[in-house]
Amino acid sequence: MRVEILGQERRRRWGDAKKLDIVMSIGLDGATVTEVAHRHDVSRQQIYAWRHELKKKGLLPSTADTVFLPVDMAAMHGAPLVREDVARVSAMIELRLNDGRSLRFDSGVDPAVLTRLIRAVEAA
């Protein structure tokens, strides 16, 4: 009996170097996880699993080089604000992280809480 496989075989083997290359391409030129997954014909969940695996192996660069920058709320609204006015301003801010995730939060969020939240999301 002869068996012939037509089309692309779905079971593929990916080396750590290729996985790292794919995971690191997220965020380059604004590429999202969905876009990168589609480009490489894998699921989004597969990319997240690779990211987790690479972190466990110590192959994924740490986010220790992440830089936090102060945001001048007065400049965002175009008018000078005094400290009391900042508490009353209710604007939503969207922050895009390197891994393609986005955080949306109120502009009045405590900076220490925001820092812990970003670190928790980046570590996941």
Side-chain angles (χ1 to χ4, degrees), residues 5-47:
I5 299 175
L6 301 174
Q8 183 179 3
E9 181 182 353
R10 295 304 303 166
R11 183 100 175 146
R12 294 172 283 179
R13 307 282 184 220
W14 301 86
D16 286 341
K18 184 62 178 173
K19 290 177 190 178
L20 184 61
D21 183 48
I22 292 171
V23 170
M24 294 302 291
S25 69
I26 297 167
L28 295 178
D29 298 324
T32 64
V33 174
T34 302
E35 292 168 346
V36 171
H38 182 70
R39 187 180 318 137
H40 295 283
D41 196 28
V42 297
S43 70
R44 291 175 48 225
Q45 184 56 38
Q46 184 66 61
I47 291 179

Side-chain angles (χ1 to χ4, degrees), residues 28-89:
L28 295 178
D29 298 324
T32 64
V33 174
T34 302
E35 292 168 346
V36 171
H38 182 70
R39 187 180 318 137
H40 295 283
D41 196 28
V42 297
S43 70
R44 291 175 48 225
Q45 184 56 38
Q46 184 66 61
I47 291 179
Y48 290 122
W50 286 346
R51 184 171 173 259
H52 181 72
E53 173 191 336
L54 292 168
K55 277 186 176 183
K56 283 177 101 173
K57 290 181 177 180
L59 298 174
L60 191 63
S62 76
T63 56
D65 59 347
T66 301
V67 176
F68 292 98
L69 301 174
V71 176
D72 182 5
M73 293 303 295
M76 289 179 62
H77 295 287
L81 296 175
V82 294
R83 188 136 182 88
E84 294 79 30
D85 291 336
V86 173
R88 284 186 262 138
V89 173

